[in-house]
């Protein structure tokens, strides 16, 4: 009983003096695309594959990535290390749903909320930048197909994709932002007292077992009883051992409080004191790291701006090409092009041969495999009964698959 009370008292003392930690939670909503939807074919959007790993689980894994922690540190201007930010982050999928909790811990209420919201925003920004880059490639590919006389489905898909230019990734968004918590998440005083009481009870049980073992070992038969050692003396010995154990536990708790107070004083002194000459190496490394982070952030912003400019230029070029084609058609009084029949004159290439080339040598050009597969998918609608592609597609195939031919 004494050990239990001592353990609870020590735990309560630590809980009252330990620095507080706060936790805030933002939520990210995942809206995966069906695998049967051809609108986003060739784009790296989140899809619901129906397997054990859901799209929400993929988002949770992306939130734990080291690149995201670096982006959060750069956006908030923090000097914390990547491992410190990753340790402060807690990500979980809510009850097997499409909602992901993004929780962050910090020593202040506002700091915890800013961390949680920054992680969620950084994920949306990175996903949106990747989506816009892939979207530009998909629009350029479909424009070529439409110019070659592709069917109305391709034209409709092109119109749909153009509507997403400049928009974020449609499969993930912030559902709710984190707010400043009203109370600290650590230390949990009732839980600490319970743990301390349990440890004290366990220690008391161990001491009791040891004393019982010693008492049993020293017990002799009535004929061999040593009158010099009485029961009263043994009881006094047990009382002294229990009192000594209680004093040690109290001293340990007091020592722990003193150490914690000393650590707090050292932290405050380190924050208030000017930098010492022997810290020049550390300051130099910190300044170099800040410059690298600033350079990376600037380069990422420049790449995003460049991608947006390219998208605008491509859209303007497509509009100019369409207007020029319309003017040429009016000037020459040429009737509208007739859609390419599926049984037209056989061309130079076979769909089977092209698929075999992509399968055998696609690994040599990984940056073009996705584009080649998209062209093969749309060319299937025009293949002749003998497996050959109409001659009207020879120019497009020669230009697109030039690295394989």
């Amino acid at each position: 009983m004494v050990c239990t009370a001592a353990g609870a008292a020590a735990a309560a003392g630590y809980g009252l003096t330990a620095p507080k930690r706060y936790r805030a939670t933002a939520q990210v909503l995942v809206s995966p695309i069906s695998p049967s939807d051809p609108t986003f074919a060739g784009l790296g959007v989140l899809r619901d594959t129906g397997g054990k790993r859901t799209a929400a689980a993929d988002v949770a894994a992306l939130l734990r990535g080291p690149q995201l922690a670096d982006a959060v540190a750069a956006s908030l201007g923090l000097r914390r290390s990547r491992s410190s930010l990753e340790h402060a982050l807690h990500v979980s999928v809510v009850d097997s749903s499409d909602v992901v909790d993004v929780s962050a811990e910090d020593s202040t209420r506002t700091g915890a909320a800013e961390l949680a919201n920054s992680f969620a925003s950084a994920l949306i920004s990175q996903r949106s930048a990747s989506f816009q880059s892939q979207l530009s490639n998909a629009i350029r590919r479909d424009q070529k197909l439409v110019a070659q006389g592709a069917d109305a489905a391709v034209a409709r898909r092109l119109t749909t994709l153009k509507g997403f230019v400049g928009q974020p990734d449609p499969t993930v968004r912030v559902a709710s932002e984190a707010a400043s918590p009203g109370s600290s998440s650590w230390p949990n005083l009732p839980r600490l007292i319970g743990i301390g009481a349990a440890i004290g009870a366990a220690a008391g049980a161990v001491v009791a077992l040891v004393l019982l073992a010693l008492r049993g070992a020293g017990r002799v038969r009535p004929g061999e009883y040593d009158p010099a050692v009485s029961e009263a003396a043994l009881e006094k010995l047990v009382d002294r051992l229990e009192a000594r154990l209680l004093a040690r536990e109290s001293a340990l708790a007091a020592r722990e409080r003193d150490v914690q107070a000393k650590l707090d004083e050292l932290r405050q002194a380190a924050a208030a004191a000017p930098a010492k000459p022997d810290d020049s190496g550390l300051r130099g490394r910190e300044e170099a790291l800040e410059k690298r982070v600033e350079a990376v952030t600037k380069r990422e912003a420049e790449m995003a701006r460049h991608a947006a400019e390219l998208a605008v230029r491509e859209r303007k070029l497509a509009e100019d090409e369409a207007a020029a084609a319309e003017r040429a058609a009016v000037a020459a009084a040429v009737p509208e092009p007739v859609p390419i029949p599926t049984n037209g004159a056989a061309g130079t290439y076979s769909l089977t041969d092209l698929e075999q080339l992509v399968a055998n040598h696609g690994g040599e050009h990984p940056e073009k495999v996705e584009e080649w597969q998209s062209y093969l998918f749309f060319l299937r609608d025009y293949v002749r009964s003998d497996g050959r592609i109409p001659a009207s597609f020879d120019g497009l195939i020669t230009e697109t698959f030039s690295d394989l031919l």
Side-chain angles (χ1 to χ4, degrees):
M1 195 68 181
V2 174
C3 294
T4 302
Y14 172 75
L16 293 173
T17 57
K20 294 183 178 181
R21 303 286 296 177
Y22 298 89
R23 174 178 288 199
T25 302
Q27 289 188 325
V28 174
L29 177 62
V30 183
S31 304
I33 302 297
S34 173
S36 59
D37 187 354
T39 303
F40 296 97
L43 298 178
V45 295
L46 297 170
R47 300 181 183 275
D48 188 4
T49 58
K52 293 183 179 180
R53 187 179 180 91
T54 62
D58 293 336
V59 170
L62 292 174
L63 283 164
R64 300 187 187 98
Q67 296 85 357
L68 208 63
D70 293 340
V72 169
S75 63
L76 295 179
L78 302 177
R79 294 187 178 182
R80 296 174 61 176
S81 64
R82 176 191 297 174
S83 60
S84 173
L85 289 174
E86 291 175 346
H87 181 72
L89 176 68
H90 304 275
V91 182
S92 62
V93 179
V94 180
D95 298 331
S96 301
S97 65
D98 290 329
V99 177
V100 179
D101 278 347
V102 185
S103 302
E105 289 187 352
D106 195 68
S107 58
T108 63
R109 294 181 173 87
T110 57
E114 286 181 353
L115 273 181
N117 291 329
S118 296
F119 269 102
S121 300
L123 172 69
I124 302 300
S125 299
Q126 289 189 1
R127 293 287 306 175
S128 298
S130 176
F131 173 72
Q132 287 298 319
S133 177
Q134 298 176 23
L135 182 66
S136 300
N137 295 332
I139 291 175
R140 185 167 55 252
R141 178 194 63 211
D142 288 356
Q143 286 174 341
K144 291 182 181 179
L145 290 173
V146 171
Q148 291 293 328
D151 56 13
V154 181
R156 288 195 300 270
R157 179 177 185 268
L158 177 60
T159 302
T160 302
L161 292 179
K162 286 184 177 180
F164 287 96
V165 173
Q167 299 297 320
D169 186 340
T171 58
V172 60
R173 65 182 179 85
V174 176
S176 63
E177 293 187 348
S180 298
S183 60
S184 62
S185 60
W186 177 262
N188 189 335
L189 191 59
R191 182 180 179 186
L192 286 176
I193 293 176
I195 294 174
I199 294 175
V206 172
V207 172
L209 290 175
V210 171
L211 293 176
L212 288 175
L214 292 174
R215 186 177 298 177
R219 187 174 300 166
V220 296
R221 293 189 300 271
E224 300 175 354
Y225 179 71
D226 185 3
V229 182
S230 63
E231 291 291 336
L234 289 176
E235 291 293 340
K236 291 181 179 180
L237 176 62
V238 171
D239 292 339
R240 285 199 301 271
L241 289 175
E242 289 181 351
R244 185 178 299 176
L245 178 61
L246 180 59
R248 284 190 176 183
E249 289 179 349
S250 300
L252 181 60
R255 180 61 178 170
E256 187 175 358
R257 289 194 297 271
D258 293 340
V259 169
Q260 186 63 43
K262 188 62 177 178
L263 287 175
D264 293 339
E265 291 178 2
L266 290 175
R267 291 193 187 100
Q268 294 176 0
K276 296 181 180 179
D278 56 357
D279 292 338
S280 58
L282 178 59
R283 291 202 309 277
R285 289 194 296 271
E286 290 179 349
E287 292 175 358
L289 180 59
E290 290 178 357
K291 291 180 180 179
R292 288 181 58 189
V293 170
E294 182 179 357
V296 170
T297 304
K298 183 177 180 181
R299 186 165 62 252
E300 289 179 351
E302 184 66 22
M303 291 175 64
R305 184 185 62 79
H306 185 59
E309 292 177 355
L310 286 178
V312 173
R313 290 173 57 189
E314 289 176 356
R315 184 165 63 250
K316 183 65 170 60
L317 181 59
E319 293 174 354
D320 293 343
E321 290 178 351
E326 183 177 357
R327 289 195 299 271
V330 173
V334 178
E336 295 183 357
V338 179
I340 300 173
T342 59
N343 58 351
T348 306
Y349 305 100
S350 166
L351 182 64
T352 303
D353 294 340
L354 291 177
E355 290 176 341
Q356 191 65 33
L357 286 172
V358 173
N360 294 338
H361 304 286
E364 301 172 5
H365 308 278
E367 73 281 358
K368 294 187 176 181
V369 170
E370 183 178 346
E371 180 181 1
W372 289 339
Q373 290 177 348
S374 299
Y375 276 106
L376 292 175
F377 174 79
F378 289 107
L379 287 173
R380 289 193 183 97
D381 294 337
Y382 302 98
V383 175
R384 290 163 45 92
S385 59
D386 58 357
R388 305 194 70 80
I389 303 172
S392 57
F393 287 103
D394 283 355
L396 176 63
I397 294 173
T398 301
E399 177 185 354
T400 303
F401 297 89
S402 59
D403 293 329
L404 300 177
L405 300 176

